[in-house]
Amino acid sequence: MKYETQKVALPFFMLAMALFALQIVFGLAAAAAYVWPHFMSEAMPFNITRTSHTNLLIVWLLIGFMGSTYYLMPEEAENEIYSPKLAYFQLLLFAIAGAGALISYQFGIHEGRHYLEQPLWAKLMITVSFLMFLFNTSLTMLKGRKTAINMVLMLGLWLAAVFWLFAFYNPDNLALDKLWWWWIVHIWVEGVWELIMASLLGYLLIKMTGVDREIIEKWLYVIVGLALFSGLLGTGHHYYWIGTPGYWQPIGSIFSTLEVIPFFAMVVFAFYMFWKGSRNHPNKAAMLWTLGCAAVAFFGAGVWGFMHTLSWINYYTHGTQITAAHGHLAFYGAYVMLIMGIITYAMPQLRRVQPYNQVLNMWAFWIMTSAMWFMTFTLTFAGVVQTHLQRVLGMNFMQVQAQLELFYVMRFGTGIFVALAAAMFFYAVFGPAREQVGAHVRQPSIVATE
């Protein structure tokens, strides 16, 4: 750890992982309700369980982005964090807003807009916290060195804050509501968050491959240009069936097809840098999460997104389990694996030890990734069956759901393996740390202390 204030990232990482664990719990509860429809129906209706699951995903990923920024910014800017106290305070505000919103949901207090269910007071607290974060990190960058990594990262974070402001606009007209709603939900995850993803990937590859910074930064600019070019107008694939003009069908089909390109570029970028650079970095687990992030994101966000993004296909598949398959693998590959990669890379330095528990960490990677792939295939098959029976043959919705029960049982089973892998990961990065030594060096393990 080159700068003392990098330790600010530690509570962000710890809270992010705690909320990730809670998200998995709610996800298992929601999956159980598909298998046993009356599961917890009185204590917690399905709509509340699902809302809690999806909101926790967004909240912990944002906290993970914040922690990652606080960790890398001092190194990139060659300057200490402007105000560590402000960082801790804005984390407290964010945590209170997130916890308050989650508790509110259990009592049926929410605004009813998917992903934006937070009560107004929670939205205001989130906004204030995020502005504090941007103020703190922007001043850190402005006072120090400006690199492509930290400038692209801050551009993505600032744009995320700008588009978040549409959460406060809730028109009475449903078509207008959905039109502006996608400016947050889509442009975040398929636009500006890709800038954050690319910059964090670039940082990890610089640190772990030893490839010259200029080469990685050139790739970064290309990926950013492709992401913004395709992602902004690619929003049109959400405008097909909400009452917008018909020209959105060709626009959405063309530009959302192009959204595959930046994800493919990230795969080539990551693996080319790995091939070109040194492959002997001691933190093998972090490299595994980094390469896995690029590869799984390409398939989850790119390939599975393309499978049902064309308007004449989406007409039949819209809102089926195919959407759920795409959403699960895309979020996991692009953002969950990225944060876990950053945490795996950073924790040995934050704890001032060599990389540790790597075998357990890599087992967590393979089990969790395999489970997510199996879940994706399961939901994809379920979606194909659902599309044919419901949208082509015209069967009743509940009749079709009864035909999908086996798929839902398998999806619940994969959720259990995801939970097991997550527990392994938590123990690997936060549990007892022993300094690793070479396989041929006969030296006792050293128990690390703070």
Side-chain angles (χ1 to χ4, degrees):
M1 200 166 63
K2 296 181 180 179
Y3 295 89
E4 191 62 27
T5 51
Q6 285 181 279
K7 67 182 181 182
V8 167
L10 182 57
F12 284 83
F13 290 153
M14 294 176 70
L15 181 58
M17 289 295 96
L19 296 179
F20 178 41
L22 197 57
Q23 184 212 350
I24 292 173
V25 171
F26 279 104
L28 282 172
Y34 275 92
V35 181
W36 304 284
H38 297 291
F39 180 77
M40 292 184 65
S41 59
E42 304 248 343
M44 189 184 302
F46 177 79
N47 67 305
I48 301 302
T49 306
R50 184 176 185 272
T51 294
S52 302
H53 176 65
T54 54
N55 274 246
L56 279 165
L57 170 67
I58 300 299
V59 169
W60 86 254
L61 285 178
L62 287 173
I63 293 174
F65 289 154
M66 291 176 183
S68 302
T69 304
Y70 279 127
Y71 180 78
L72 72 83
M73 187 58 75
E75 286 192 15
E76 288 296 304
E78 296 182 341
N79 192 28
E80 296 284 4
I81 295 293
Y82 175 74
S83 174
K85 290 182 179 179
L86 185 62
Y88 293 131
F89 180 67
Q90 59 101 174
L91 176 62
L92 178 63
L93 275 184
F94 206 95
I96 291 172
L102 189 64
I103 294 170
S104 297
Y105 301 153
Q106 314 314 311
F107 294 96
I109 302 171
H110 54 81
E111 293 197 350
R113 303 174 76 200
H114 188 35
Y115 290 115
L116 304 177
E117 292 95 343
Q118 307 84 19
L120 180 60
W121 64 267
K123 283 190 173 76
L124 291 170
M125 285 186 70
I126 290 170
T127 304
V128 171
S129 172
F130 209 81
L131 289 175
M132 288 179 177
F133 162 73
L134 291 173
F135 172 80
N136 206 2
T137 50
S138 297
L139 280 184
T140 304
M141 184 185 74
L142 291 173
K143 290 174 62 180
R145 181 179 64 158
K146 287 83 174 172
T147 67
I149 299 293
N150 60 19
M151 286 193 295
V152 170
L153 176 60
M154 292 311 301
L155 174 63
L157 291 166
W158 270 103
L159 287 175
V162 169
F163 286 108
W164 163 254
L165 297 178
F166 285 98
F168 294 96
Y169 179 56
N170 189 3
D172 295 329
N173 183 289
L174 185 60
L176 277 179
D177 170 42
K178 284 300 179 185
L179 188 146
W180 296 112
W181 179 80
W182 283 113
W183 276 49
I184 310 161
V185 178
H186 169 95
I187 293 180
W188 262 21
V189 300
E190 298 178 58
V192 298
W193 278 24
E194 288 183 31
L195 275 60
I196 299 169
M197 176 191 176
S199 58
L200 294 179
L201 273 178
Y203 171 79
L204 288 172
L205 291 169
I206 287 174
K207 293 298 180 182
M208 290 192 290
T209 65
V211 174
D212 188 72
R213 176 181 288 271
E214 289 185 4
I215 296 174
I216 289 179
E217 289 182 344
K218 287 176 182 176
W219 272 88
L220 185 60
Y221 286 129
V222 172
I223 291 170
V224 167
L226 290 171
L228 289 178
F229 172 74
S230 61
L232 294 178
L233 283 176
T235 310
H237 67 236
H238 298 295
Y239 290 171
Y240 293 156
W241 325 118
I242 63 171
T244 52
Y247 57 72
W248 279 111
Q249 292 192 21
I251 291 175
S253 296
I254 293 168
F255 282 91
S256 59
T257 299
L258 296 176
E259 286 186 61
V260 178
I261 298 175
F263 283 104
F264 179 72
M266 285 190 203
V267 176
V268 177
F269 168 54
F271 281 85
Y272 176 69
M273 294 305 145
F274 174 69
W275 172 80
K276 187 177 179 64
S278 168
R279 300 165 207 172
N280 297 318
H281 193 277
N283 200 330
K284 307 296 184 185
M287 181 62 79
L288 185 61
W289 283 106
T290 301
L291 296 176
C293 166
V296 178
F298 166 67
F299 286 101
V303 176
W304 255 256
F306 173 73
M307 282 170 58
H308 67 142
T309 197
L310 299 174
S311 61
W312 56 89
I313 298 174
N314 189 266
Y315 179 79
Y316 294 96
T317 63
H318 185 81
T320 66
Q321 293 299 326
I322 292 175
T323 304
H326 161 57
H328 278 83
L329 194 63
F331 267 109
Y332 174 71
Y335 304 118
V336 174
M337 295 180 79
L338 177 64
I339 299 301
M340 296 174 90
I342 288 278
I343 290 175
T344 299
Y345 174 79
M347 284 302 294
Q349 298 176 57
L350 291 172
R351 297 178 68 173
R352 292 180 170 86
V353 293
Q354 291 184 22
Y356 54 88
N357 291 341
Q358 291 202 68
V359 173
L360 184 63
N361 195 325
M362 289 189 279
W363 269 109
F365 168 90
W366 286 113
I367 292 173
M368 188 179 297
T369 304
S370 300
M372 290 302 300
W373 268 111
F374 192 86
M375 183 186 298
T376 300
F377 285 126
T378 298
L379 291 173
T380 302
F381 293 139
V384 171
V385 173
Q386 181 184 10
T387 299
H388 182 70
L389 295 181
Q390 186 176 321
R391 304 288 169 79
V392 178
L393 299 184
M395 286 178 61
N396 178 277
F397 175 81
M398 290 309 296
Q399 288 179 316
V400 174
Q401 291 301 301
Q403 300 297 317
L404 304 180
E405 185 174 352
L406 176 61
F407 296 110
Y408 293 149
V409 171
M410 290 192 289
R411 193 257 298 271
F412 179 72
T414 60
I416 293 174
F417 279 96
V418 169
L420 173 64
M424 293 168 65
F425 179 83
F426 300 151
Y427 185 85
V429 297
F430 296 116
R434 290 180 175 83
E435 184 180 30
Q436 288 193 344
V437 295
H440 302 292
V441 179
R442 293 186 177 181
Q443 179 178 340
S445 298
I446 301 171
V447 179
T449 57
E450 287 294 324

